Amino acid sequence: MPITYTSGEQVEVYRFSPFATISIPLAAILLQAILPRYLHFFTIFDLPLLVTIGFATARRNPLAGLLTGCLIGIFQDALTHQPIGLYGISKTVVGFAASSLGIKIDVENSGARFLLTILFYVVHEVVYFMIARGLVGLHMEWSWPHEIGSGVANAALGIFVYALLDRVKQRT
Amino acid sequence: MEVFGRYRNLIVLVGVLFAQILGLAVQVRRTTDTEPTRLIRIWAVGSVSPLEKGLLWFQNSTDNIWHNYFYLRGVRAENRELKHEIEQMRLEQVRITQDADQARRLQALLAFKEQFISGTLAAQVIGSSGSELSRSVYIDKGERDGLKPDMAVLTKDGIVGKVLRVYGSTALVLLIDDQTSGVGSLLEKSRLQGILRGTPAGAVVLEKVMSDETVPIGEQVVTSGGDGIFPKGLPVGTVTGVSPGSDLFLNIRVRPAADLGRLEEVLVVTKVDEKQAEPDETSPMRAVDILAERLPTVPPKPDATSGSPAPGAVAPGPPASNGVASSSPAMKPTGTNSSGSTSAAPKPVASNSSTLKSGSPNSAAPGPAAANTFAPKSAAPKSGAAKTGALTSVPSAVRPANSNATASQPAQHLRSQPAATGKPNAPPSAASATAGNSAPPKTAGSSPSAKPVTPSARTPGAGLASTETKSATPQHDPVRKNAGPTPPTKAASANPSPATAAGASTTNSTATNSATSSAAKKPPAKPVASGAATHPPKPQPVPEDSPQ
């Protein structure tokens, strides 16, 4: 039984149905591909990342988290013109970290989710930035205001996404 | 084993990361021709694109139902406006066609090779990459529709990007604002060349323009054709800001002409032909002809050209292609109008206005009948003149010096000179009157507009000779300046013989030569041109006590 920093001694571990496991990430990727066509500002959001964080924190299983992040990231990479693996590595790291952290702290309330999402978004961008510059050789510029702003926006959207995920998750 | 169990998660994480990094390294080293990840991409695109297409179909269906059945308000008004716009654009098209023909002729002279977009394919944007760091969109046409990588994609506003990857029924288009894209571009006015690139922030900049160049804000950027993807001359965008960049280059910010954030329909350039420009000599209609058709015309008079009883009237020269334009100078019997005709010769619209003016009775200007004796000579060079009024006016304008010299010679000598029209002894008819204008061009005194009328100018023949020597060239410009308003009333009252008046009045300046030349070219049936000719020539000279 994992020891947590929350008041309770036990944390809930959830699971998702196979249908939800497949369809929710697919829907997130689909919306991420379609919505920017109508809402150009939507490119600052990263729905697959929010789904990755949501799944990882709910399952609280690092292996499941990193594999979920890896698959979602590779799928997302496949839709871009960049080499496959940029999003894959980033989301693998985030999935592992989110599920590992989910074991340690309570991530059920909205405030914690909000802050965690900002943190994971920045981690995601840092990893992406490092790989893109170091491995692929892309010329990228880092802008803290932009990253923090995008992180806050994603965290705000994440609250609703996590609320939706809460409805489909099943207690083990 | 126990260690593996304890650090299982960490080991798996490292393994997964290592595998992905290895895959990345393989991809970065390889070219896109031997893409190892193509299968993954095909699966991913194949699983997403049907949903995107379905959504697009639903959206289009809803839009069609709404727009075709419910939202038809204002269609008639819009139809009216569009028809009017078509009319305007037809005129514009003729003008542009002429410009294009001219450009082709020049290019043919220089053996230029031109790129023509000979095949395009319309496609709809069905989705995007969904990433801020990958600015690309998916279109609903792919390999089955004949798309290939590196095809240019554009909209009516400007270029959009190029086809990067092609799948069965979809294709990935790399937008020009992506940081990995590059478009050979040049500034439209200064012709400075550079490379258009996207920035990580999504802006578009023109690079490789030296910092010592001046680039104005608002200048248009077009494709240079140097990248081998985009044909030359396609609109790219507008310069929105210029600042010193690094390495002696300017940092030129460009706003794309196409709205890359709201792409719906695009055109993929599937075929570009490169061939040498061939001038099109069979231009169907000139803009001036269309304009002339729309202007009000004087009702035709059947006896317009044949009504001249002058036996040796100078026959009109080769008919001009445009009756209105060519006839206009002939309708300027006064020196005032003739002066205007010189400048108006290359401008058809101006000719038209002068043509309308000449229809007034006041156009008959007074002048000595002796001017008519110069008709054959002046008519001679005009009849063989070139088609364009501007060209004919030039030699005529040069001629007056000779004309003046011969003006004092006996009329018989002048008559003996064969006219190019084949009518050597042209008596004073309307046409000859205008033709005679060129002979004594310096007789400004005989013109009603020329205020300093010398007494000798009132005398036919002799007056011409005297004025030639005195005020030939210097009075040329003043007469032209005073041309417009002065002639009519005096001319009408002074000289009852319009034919002779025309001949005299046009002697005012060398500018009248253009009128003469046009008169020689004018088609006989044109009513406007026959305005002066309709007046029967009266051989009797103008009374010496003429008000002039």
Side-chain angles (χ1 to χ4, degrees), chain A residues 124-153:
Chain A
H124 176 270
E125 292 299 300
V126 167
V127 174
Y128 188 98
F129 180 83
M130 288 170 60
I131 297 168
R133 284 198 71 154
L135 281 179
V136 183
L138 291 177
H139 175 70
M140 297 190 66
E141 293 171 1
W142 182 262
S143 168
W144 274 111
H146 179 263
E147 301 303 334
I148 296 295
S150 298
V152 171

PDB file of all heavy atoms in Angstrom, chain A residues 124-153:
ATOM      1  N   HIS A 124       6.958  19.147 -20.176  1.00  0.00           N
ATOM      2  CA  HIS A 124       6.750  18.658 -21.539  1.00  0.00           C
ATOM      3  C   HIS A 124       7.444  19.558 -22.565  1.00  0.00           C
ATOM      4  O   HIS A 124       8.151  19.085 -23.466  1.00  0.00           O
ATOM      5  CB  HIS A 124       5.237  18.590 -21.807  1.00  0.00           C
ATOM      6  CG  HIS A 124       4.868  18.184 -23.195  1.00  0.00           C
ATOM      7  ND1 HIS A 124       4.696  19.092 -24.217  1.00  0.00           N
ATOM      8  CD2 HIS A 124       4.647  16.958 -23.734  1.00  0.00           C
ATOM      9  CE1 HIS A 124       4.359  18.450 -25.331  1.00  0.00           C
ATOM     10  NE2 HIS A 124       4.326  17.152 -25.054  1.00  0.00           N
ATOM     11  N   GLU A 125       7.289  20.847 -22.408  1.00  0.00           N
ATOM     12  CA  GLU A 125       7.881  21.785 -23.361  1.00  0.00           C
ATOM     13  C   GLU A 125       9.410  21.805 -23.248  1.00  0.00           C
ATOM     14  O   GLU A 125      10.105  21.922 -24.264  1.00  0.00           O
ATOM     15  CB  GLU A 125       7.322  23.195 -23.122  1.00  0.00           C
ATOM     16  CG  GLU A 125       5.839  23.331 -23.460  1.00  0.00           C
ATOM     17  CD  GLU A 125       5.539  23.030 -24.911  1.00  0.00           C
ATOM     18  OE1 GLU A 125       6.096  23.732 -25.770  1.00  0.00           O
ATOM     19  OE2 GLU A 125       4.772  22.089 -25.183  1.00  0.00           O
ATOM     20  N   VAL A 126       9.888  21.678 -22.018  1.00  0.00           N
ATOM     21  CA  VAL A 126      11.349  21.665 -21.833  1.00  0.00           C
ATOM     22  C   VAL A 126      11.953  20.434 -22.508  1.00  0.00           C
ATOM     23  O   VAL A 126      12.966  20.540 -23.237  1.00  0.00           O
ATOM     24  CB  VAL A 126      11.703  21.694 -20.321  1.00  0.00           C
ATOM     25  CG1 VAL A 126      13.165  21.359 -20.112  1.00  0.00           C
ATOM     26  CG2 VAL A 126      11.378  23.053 -19.733  1.00  0.00           C
ATOM     27  N   VAL A 127      11.346  19.296 -22.291  1.00  0.00           N
ATOM     28  CA  VAL A 127      11.863  18.072 -22.916  1.00  0.00           C
ATOM     29  C   VAL A 127      11.792  18.182 -24.436  1.00  0.00           C
ATOM     30  O   VAL A 127      12.751  17.847 -25.154  1.00  0.00           O
ATOM     31  CB  VAL A 127      11.070  16.849 -22.411  1.00  0.00           C
ATOM     32  CG1 VAL A 127      11.487  15.594 -23.155  1.00  0.00           C
ATOM     33  CG2 VAL A 127      11.272  16.673 -20.921  1.00  0.00           C
ATOM     34  N   TYR A 128      10.669  18.663 -24.921  1.00  0.00           N
ATOM     35  CA  TYR A 128      10.502  18.818 -26.371  1.00  0.00           C
ATOM     36  C   TYR A 128      11.564  19.760 -26.926  1.00  0.00           C
ATOM     37  O   TYR A 128      12.187  19.495 -27.959  1.00  0.00           O
ATOM     38  CB  TYR A 128       9.103  19.362 -26.662  1.00  0.00           C
ATOM     39  CG  TYR A 128       8.756  19.382 -28.134  1.00  0.00           C
ATOM     40  CD1 TYR A 128       7.994  18.365 -28.704  1.00  0.00           C
ATOM     41  CD2 TYR A 128       9.188  20.402 -28.976  1.00  0.00           C
ATOM     42  CE1 TYR A 128       7.667  18.363 -30.044  1.00  0.00           C
ATOM     43  CE2 TYR A 128       8.881  20.412 -30.318  1.00  0.00           C
ATOM     44  CZ  TYR A 128       8.113  19.396 -30.838  1.00  0.00           C
ATOM     45  OH  TYR A 128       7.809  19.399 -32.164  1.00  0.00           O
ATOM     46  N   PHE A 129      11.761  20.855 -26.223  1.00  0.00           N
ATOM     47  CA  PHE A 129      12.727  21.860 -26.669  1.00  0.00           C
ATOM     48  C   PHE A 129      14.139  21.277 -26.726  1.00  0.00           C
ATOM     49  O   PHE A 129      14.873  21.477 -27.701  1.00  0.00           O
ATOM     50  CB  PHE A 129      12.663  23.048 -25.707  1.00  0.00           C
ATOM     51  CG  PHE A 129      13.598  24.164 -26.051  1.00  0.00           C
ATOM     52  CD1 PHE A 129      13.257  25.117 -26.994  1.00  0.00           C
ATOM     53  CD2 PHE A 129      14.834  24.266 -25.425  1.00  0.00           C
ATOM     54  CE1 PHE A 129      14.116  26.144 -27.305  1.00  0.00           C
ATOM     55  CE2 PHE A 129      15.700  25.292 -25.736  1.00  0.00           C
ATOM     56  CZ  PHE A 129      15.345  26.236 -26.674  1.00  0.00           C
ATOM     57  N   MET A 130      14.471  20.537 -25.693  1.00  0.00           N
ATOM     58  CA  MET A 130      15.824  19.965 -25.639  1.00  0.00           C
ATOM     59  C   MET A 130      16.043  18.932 -26.748  1.00  0.00           C
ATOM     60  O   MET A 130      17.088  18.937 -27.409  1.00  0.00           O
ATOM     61  CB  MET A 130      16.060  19.329 -24.267  1.00  0.00           C
ATOM     62  CG  MET A 130      16.218  20.333 -23.139  1.00  0.00           C
ATOM     63  SD  MET A 130      16.191  19.551 -21.514  1.00  0.00           S
ATOM     64  CE  MET A 130      17.582  18.457 -21.629  1.00  0.00           C
ATOM     65  N   ILE A 131      15.066  18.108 -26.949  1.00  0.00           N
ATOM     66  CA  ILE A 131      15.225  17.097 -27.994  1.00  0.00           C
ATOM     67  C   ILE A 131      15.235  17.744 -29.382  1.00  0.00           C
ATOM     68  O   ILE A 131      16.041  17.382 -30.246  1.00  0.00           O
ATOM     69  CB  ILE A 131      14.098  16.049 -27.892  1.00  0.00           C
ATOM     70  CG1 ILE A 131      14.199  15.319 -26.547  1.00  0.00           C
ATOM     71  CG2 ILE A 131      14.177  15.052 -29.028  1.00  0.00           C
ATOM     72  CD1 ILE A 131      12.980  14.500 -26.236  1.00  0.00           C
ATOM     73  N   ALA A 132      14.338  18.681 -29.561  1.00  0.00           N
ATOM     74  CA  ALA A 132      14.248  19.320 -30.878  1.00  0.00           C
ATOM     75  C   ALA A 132      15.534  20.063 -31.224  1.00  0.00           C
ATOM     76  O   ALA A 132      15.990  20.036 -32.367  1.00  0.00           O
ATOM     77  CB  ALA A 132      13.060  20.279 -30.903  1.00  0.00           C
ATOM     78  N   ARG A 133      16.099  20.702 -30.254  1.00  0.00           N
ATOM     79  CA  ARG A 133      17.338  21.433 -30.529  1.00  0.00           C
ATOM     80  C   ARG A 133      18.559  20.528 -30.505  1.00  0.00           C
ATOM     81  O   ARG A 133      19.443  20.648 -31.353  1.00  0.00           O
ATOM     82  CB  ARG A 133      17.516  22.558 -29.507  1.00  0.00           C
ATOM     83  CG  ARG A 133      16.612  23.726 -29.776  1.00  0.00           C
ATOM     84  CD  ARG A 133      17.080  24.944 -29.061  1.00  0.00           C
ATOM     85  NE  ARG A 133      18.303  25.475 -29.647  1.00  0.00           N
ATOM     86  CZ  ARG A 133      18.658  26.744 -29.565  1.00  0.00           C
ATOM     87  NH1 ARG A 133      17.892  27.595 -28.937  1.00  0.00           N
ATOM     88  NH2 ARG A 133      19.774  27.163 -30.098  1.00  0.00           N
ATOM     89  N   GLY A 134      18.566  19.644 -29.532  1.00  0.00           N
ATOM     90  CA  GLY A 134      19.768  18.829 -29.377  1.00  0.00           C
ATOM     91  C   GLY A 134      19.859  17.676 -30.333  1.00  0.00           C
ATOM     92  O   GLY A 134      20.931  17.373 -30.858  1.00  0.00           O
ATOM     93  N   LEU A 135      18.750  17.010 -30.580  1.00  0.00           N
ATOM     94  CA  LEU A 135      18.806  15.819 -31.420  1.00  0.00           C
ATOM     95  C   LEU A 135      18.427  16.087 -32.885  1.00  0.00           C
ATOM     96  O   LEU A 135      19.072  15.596 -33.794  1.00  0.00           O
ATOM     97  CB  LEU A 135      17.859  14.757 -30.854  1.00  0.00           C
ATOM     98  CG  LEU A 135      18.386  13.962 -29.656  1.00  0.00           C
ATOM     99  CD1 LEU A 135      17.341  12.965 -29.186  1.00  0.00           C
ATOM    100  CD2 LEU A 135      19.649  13.214 -30.026  1.00  0.00           C
ATOM    101  N   VAL A 136      17.369  16.865 -33.052  1.00  0.00           N
ATOM    102  CA  VAL A 136      16.869  17.070 -34.422  1.00  0.00           C
ATOM    103  C   VAL A 136      17.510  18.295 -35.075  1.00  0.00           C
ATOM    104  O   VAL A 136      17.600  18.373 -36.294  1.00  0.00           O
ATOM    105  CB  VAL A 136      15.327  17.206 -34.390  1.00  0.00           C
ATOM    106  CG1 VAL A 136      14.755  17.355 -35.778  1.00  0.00           C
ATOM    107  CG2 VAL A 136      14.719  15.997 -33.707  1.00  0.00           C
ATOM    108  N   GLY A 137      17.968  19.224 -34.249  1.00  0.00           N
ATOM    109  CA  GLY A 137      18.609  20.407 -34.818  1.00  0.00           C
ATOM    110  C   GLY A 137      17.653  21.478 -35.273  1.00  0.00           C
ATOM    111  O   GLY A 137      17.996  22.287 -36.134  1.00  0.00           O
ATOM    112  N   LEU A 138      16.459  21.457 -34.726  1.00  0.00           N
ATOM    113  CA  LEU A 138      15.510  22.506 -35.079  1.00  0.00           C
ATOM    114  C   LEU A 138      15.892  23.808 -34.388  1.00  0.00           C
ATOM    115  O   LEU A 138      16.394  23.813 -33.269  1.00  0.00           O
ATOM    116  CB  LEU A 138      14.093  22.114 -34.648  1.00  0.00           C
ATOM    117  CG  LEU A 138      13.440  20.962 -35.409  1.00  0.00           C
ATOM    118  CD1 LEU A 138      12.078  20.668 -34.811  1.00  0.00           C
ATOM    119  CD2 LEU A 138      13.295  21.315 -36.878  1.00  0.00           C
ATOM    120  N   HIS A 139      15.645  24.900 -35.098  1.00  0.00           N
ATOM    121  CA  HIS A 139      15.900  26.203 -34.500  1.00  0.00           C
ATOM    122  C   HIS A 139      14.652  26.618 -33.725  1.00  0.00           C
ATOM    123  O   HIS A 139      13.610  26.920 -34.310  1.00  0.00           O
ATOM    124  CB  HIS A 139      16.204  27.234 -35.574  1.00  0.00           C
ATOM    125  CG  HIS A 139      16.357  28.616 -35.028  1.00  0.00           C
ATOM    126  ND1 HIS A 139      17.432  28.982 -34.255  1.00  0.00           N
ATOM    127  CD2 HIS A 139      15.565  29.695 -35.130  1.00  0.00           C
ATOM    128  CE1 HIS A 139      17.292  30.255 -33.911  1.00  0.00           C
ATOM    129  NE2 HIS A 139      16.166  30.706 -34.430  1.00  0.00           N
ATOM    130  N   MET A 140      14.773  26.612 -32.433  1.00  0.00           N
ATOM    131  CA  MET A 140      13.614  26.947 -31.607  1.00  0.00           C
ATOM    132  C   MET A 140      13.973  28.046 -30.628  1.00  0.00           C
ATOM    133  O   MET A 140      15.137  28.202 -30.247  1.00  0.00           O
ATOM    134  CB  MET A 140      13.140  25.706 -30.845  1.00  0.00           C
ATOM    135  CG  MET A 140      12.667  24.595 -31.744  1.00  0.00           C
ATOM    136  SD  MET A 140      11.862  23.294 -30.840  1.00  0.00           S
ATOM    137  CE  MET A 140      10.427  24.138 -30.260  1.00  0.00           C
ATOM    138  N   GLU A 141      12.965  28.785 -30.275  1.00  0.00           N
ATOM    139  CA  GLU A 141      13.160  29.873 -29.315  1.00  0.00           C
ATOM    140  C   GLU A 141      12.329  29.588 -28.077  1.00  0.00           C
ATOM    141  O   GLU A 141      11.167  29.199 -28.171  1.00  0.00           O
ATOM    142  CB  GLU A 141      12.727  31.204 -29.945  1.00  0.00           C
ATOM    143  CG  GLU A 141      13.634  31.628 -31.102  1.00  0.00           C
ATOM    144  CD  GLU A 141      13.070  32.805 -31.850  1.00  0.00           C
ATOM    145  OE1 GLU A 141      11.990  33.295 -31.466  1.00  0.00           O
ATOM    146  OE2 GLU A 141      13.708  33.229 -32.834  1.00  0.00           O
ATOM    147  N   TRP A 142      12.938  29.811 -26.967  1.00  0.00           N
ATOM    148  CA  TRP A 142      12.234  29.576 -25.704  1.00  0.00           C
ATOM    149  C   TRP A 142      11.720  30.907 -25.166  1.00  0.00           C
ATOM    150  O   TRP A 142      12.455  31.888 -25.109  1.00  0.00           O
ATOM    151  CB  TRP A 142      13.170  28.931 -24.681  1.00  0.00           C
ATOM    152  CG  TRP A 142      12.480  28.624 -23.402  1.00  0.00           C
ATOM    153  CD1 TRP A 142      12.481  29.377 -22.266  1.00  0.00           C
ATOM    154  CD2 TRP A 142      11.659  27.501 -23.123  1.00  0.00           C
ATOM    155  NE1 TRP A 142      11.721  28.789 -21.295  1.00  0.00           N
ATOM    156  CE2 TRP A 142      11.195  27.633 -21.787  1.00  0.00           C
ATOM    157  CE3 TRP A 142      11.250  26.388 -23.856  1.00  0.00           C
ATOM    158  CZ2 TRP A 142      10.360  26.690 -21.193  1.00  0.00           C
ATOM    159  CZ3 TRP A 142      10.419  25.458 -23.250  1.00  0.00           C
ATOM    160  CH2 TRP A 142       9.987  25.613 -21.943  1.00  0.00           C
ATOM    161  N   SER A 143      10.480  30.913 -24.821  1.00  0.00           N
ATOM    162  CA  SER A 143       9.879  32.135 -24.282  1.00  0.00           C
ATOM    163  C   SER A 143       9.107  31.765 -23.013  1.00  0.00           C
ATOM    164  O   SER A 143       8.067  31.095 -23.078  1.00  0.00           O
ATOM    165  CB  SER A 143       8.945  32.755 -25.329  1.00  0.00           C
ATOM    166  OG  SER A 143       8.156  33.757 -24.739  1.00  0.00           O
ATOM    167  N   TRP A 144       9.637  32.200 -21.897  1.00  0.00           N
ATOM    168  CA  TRP A 144       8.965  31.872 -20.631  1.00  0.00           C
ATOM    169  C   TRP A 144       7.544  32.420 -20.555  1.00  0.00           C
ATOM    170  O   TRP A 144       6.632  31.685 -20.137  1.00  0.00           O
ATOM    171  CB  TRP A 144       9.797  32.383 -19.451  1.00  0.00           C
ATOM    172  CG  TRP A 144      10.855  31.413 -19.014  1.00  0.00           C
ATOM    173  CD1 TRP A 144      12.199  31.541 -19.130  1.00  0.00           C
ATOM    174  CD2 TRP A 144      10.634  30.141 -18.393  1.00  0.00           C
ATOM    175  NE1 TRP A 144      12.847  30.442 -18.635  1.00  0.00           N
ATOM    176  CE2 TRP A 144      11.913  29.555 -18.167  1.00  0.00           C
ATOM    177  CE3 TRP A 144       9.500  29.422 -18.027  1.00  0.00           C
ATOM    178  CZ2 TRP A 144      12.070  28.310 -17.577  1.00  0.00           C
ATOM    179  CZ3 TRP A 144       9.665  28.179 -17.436  1.00  0.00           C
ATOM    180  CH2 TRP A 144      10.945  27.637 -17.216  1.00  0.00           C
ATOM    181  N   PRO A 145       7.323  33.658 -20.910  1.00  0.00           N
ATOM    182  CA  PRO A 145       5.931  34.149 -20.833  1.00  0.00           C
ATOM    183  C   PRO A 145       4.972  33.322 -21.667  1.00  0.00           C
ATOM    184  O   PRO A 145       3.850  33.016 -21.239  1.00  0.00           O
ATOM    185  CB  PRO A 145       6.037  35.575 -21.363  1.00  0.00           C
ATOM    186  CG  PRO A 145       7.447  35.970 -21.156  1.00  0.00           C
ATOM    187  CD  PRO A 145       8.242  34.723 -21.320  1.00  0.00           C
ATOM    188  N   HIS A 146       5.433  32.944 -22.835  1.00  0.00           N
ATOM    189  CA  HIS A 146       4.556  32.153 -23.697  1.00  0.00           C
ATOM    190  C   HIS A 146       4.303  30.780 -23.094  1.00  0.00           C
ATOM    191  O   HIS A 146       3.156  30.282 -23.108  1.00  0.00           O
ATOM    192  CB  HIS A 146       5.199  32.027 -25.079  1.00  0.00           C
ATOM    193  CG  HIS A 146       4.389  31.217 -26.041  1.00  0.00           C
ATOM    194  ND1 HIS A 146       4.631  29.878 -26.282  1.00  0.00           N
ATOM    195  CD2 HIS A 146       3.319  31.542 -26.797  1.00  0.00           C
ATOM    196  CE1 HIS A 146       3.748  29.422 -27.151  1.00  0.00           C
ATOM    197  NE2 HIS A 146       2.943  30.417 -27.487  1.00  0.00           N
ATOM    198  N   GLU A 147       5.343  30.192 -22.572  1.00  0.00           N
ATOM    199  CA  GLU A 147       5.172  28.850 -22.009  1.00  0.00           C
ATOM    200  C   GLU A 147       4.307  28.872 -20.758  1.00  0.00           C
ATOM    201  O   GLU A 147       3.445  27.993 -20.570  1.00  0.00           O
ATOM    202  CB  GLU A 147       6.550  28.242 -21.679  1.00  0.00           C
ATOM    203  CG  GLU A 147       7.483  28.130 -22.882  1.00  0.00           C
ATOM    204  CD  GLU A 147       6.879  27.315 -24.008  1.00  0.00           C
ATOM    205  OE1 GLU A 147       6.024  26.461 -23.735  1.00  0.00           O
ATOM    206  OE2 GLU A 147       7.263  27.556 -25.174  1.00  0.00           O
ATOM    207  N   ILE A 148       4.538  29.855 -19.915  1.00  0.00           N
ATOM    208  CA  ILE A 148       3.718  29.943 -18.690  1.00  0.00           C
ATOM    209  C   ILE A 148       2.268  30.239 -19.050  1.00  0.00           C
ATOM    210  O   ILE A 148       1.329  29.633 -18.495  1.00  0.00           O
ATOM    211  CB  ILE A 148       4.270  31.036 -17.757  1.00  0.00           C
ATOM    212  CG1 ILE A 148       5.687  30.660 -17.280  1.00  0.00           C
ATOM    213  CG2 ILE A 148       3.340  31.259 -16.567  1.00  0.00           C
ATOM    214  CD1 ILE A 148       5.726  29.424 -16.407  1.00  0.00           C
ATOM    215  N   GLY A 149       2.098  31.142 -19.977  1.00  0.00           N
ATOM    216  CA  GLY A 149       0.723  31.466 -20.409  1.00  0.00           C
ATOM    217  C   GLY A 149       0.022  30.260 -20.981  1.00  0.00           C
ATOM    218  O   GLY A 149      -1.148  29.980 -20.665  1.00  0.00           O
ATOM    219  N   SER A 150       0.723  29.547 -21.841  1.00  0.00           N
ATOM    220  CA  SER A 150       0.124  28.340 -22.420  1.00  0.00           C
ATOM    221  C   SER A 150      -0.136  27.300 -21.340  1.00  0.00           C
ATOM    222  O   SER A 150      -1.146  26.575 -21.384  1.00  0.00           O
ATOM    223  CB  SER A 150       1.064  27.757 -23.475  1.00  0.00           C
ATOM    224  OG  SER A 150       1.269  28.662 -24.514  1.00  0.00           O
ATOM    225  N   GLY A 151       0.776  27.228 -20.387  1.00  0.00           N
ATOM    226  CA  GLY A 151       0.572  26.277 -19.284  1.00  0.00           C
ATOM    227  C   GLY A 151      -0.671  26.603 -18.487  1.00  0.00           C
ATOM    228  O   GLY A 151      -1.452  25.693 -18.138  1.00  0.00           O
ATOM    229  N   VAL A 152      -0.880  27.859 -18.211  1.00  0.00           N
ATOM    230  CA  VAL A 152      -2.085  28.263 -17.461  1.00  0.00           C
ATOM    231  C   VAL A 152      -3.341  27.952 -18.270  1.00  0.00           C
ATOM    232  O   VAL A 152      -4.346  27.434 -17.742  1.00  0.00           O
ATOM    233  CB  VAL A 152      -2.009  29.763 -17.112  1.00  0.00           C
ATOM    234  CG1 VAL A 152      -3.334  30.245 -16.535  1.00  0.00           C
ATOM    235  CG2 VAL A 152      -0.871  30.018 -16.121  1.00  0.00           C
ATOM    236  N   ALA A 153      -3.282  28.258 -19.574  1.00  0.00           N
ATOM    237  CA  ALA A 153      -4.451  27.984 -20.415  1.00  0.00           C
ATOM    238  C   ALA A 153      -4.744  26.490 -20.453  1.00  0.00           C
ATOM    239  O   ALA A 153      -5.914  26.072 -20.364  1.00  0.00           O
ATOM    240  CB  ALA A 153      -4.185  28.522 -21.820  1.00  0.00           C
TER     241      ALA A 153
END
